Amino acid sequence: MIRAILQLGLWTFVCGIFYPALVYGFAKLAFPKASSGSLVEVDGKVIGSELLAQSFDSPEYFHSRPSAIGYDTSSSGASNQGATSLSLSKKVEERRMYWISRGGTEPVPPELLYSSASGLDPHLSVEAVKYQIPVVAKVKGISGAKLDRLIEDTIESPEWGLFGSSKINILKLNLKLRTVYLEENIQKN
């Protein structure tokens, strides 16, 4: 009985305290920003995370991929609606009309019409972001060429140069857009 209690205490310490503390400490040393959630601050205030999508409803910013869960970071998930779902067809058509009404052209990239499996993907393909250039340029009063250069500067390569395709983090792009817009307004005044 005493041996069993000692073993319980030993393995509780090793697996419940020592190992988690070791992993936590290593993560904090090796990946300090990522281990803290890759939070993004502006003027000392946390505005989001590089790892999670958020809603950009204002027409003066690039939009993230639609989210079936309303960008709720407490859980992730998809709508689980299939190709025969009338509800999904209606949502996709509403999203398509939204982009067309804002000055977009056909075809609208699928990433702007369908939500992702997690509902929290922070990236879009380069093509889906470039599709939004005329819409954002019109509202912001920034040239399409300048927005194109901004996008090119924000492109992230595939993971380790091997996995996936080039992509753009929408939060980072919108923060750069905000900076460019503020600088242009300061120069005008």
Side-chain angles (χ1 to χ4, degrees), residues 129-162:
V129 174
K130 286 190 174 190
Y131 175 86
Q132 300 180 54
I133 288 176
V135 177
V136 175
K138 185 170 101 177
V139 175
K140 277 284 200 195
I142 298 175
S143 74
K146 189 169 232 174
L147 288 175
D148 194 49
R149 283 192 304 276
L150 184 69
I151 288 168
E152 292 295 327
D153 292 342
T154 313
I155 294 174
E156 297 177 11
S157 299
E159 294 296 320
W160 301 327
L162 299 171

Side-chain angles (χ1 to χ4, degrees), residues 42 61-62 140 142 147 149-156 168-183:
V42 173
Y61 289 105
F62 290 94
K140 277 284 200 195
I142 298 175
L147 288 175
R149 283 192 304 276
L150 184 69
I151 288 168
E152 292 295 327
D153 292 342
T154 313
I155 294 174
E156 297 177 11
I168 297 175
N169 185 296
I170 301 302
L171 176 59
K172 288 180 183 179
L173 175 62
N174 283 333
L175 287 173
K176 285 185 177 183
L177 175 63
R178 178 179 178 260
T179 302
V180 166
Y181 183 72
L182 291 173
E183 287 172 358

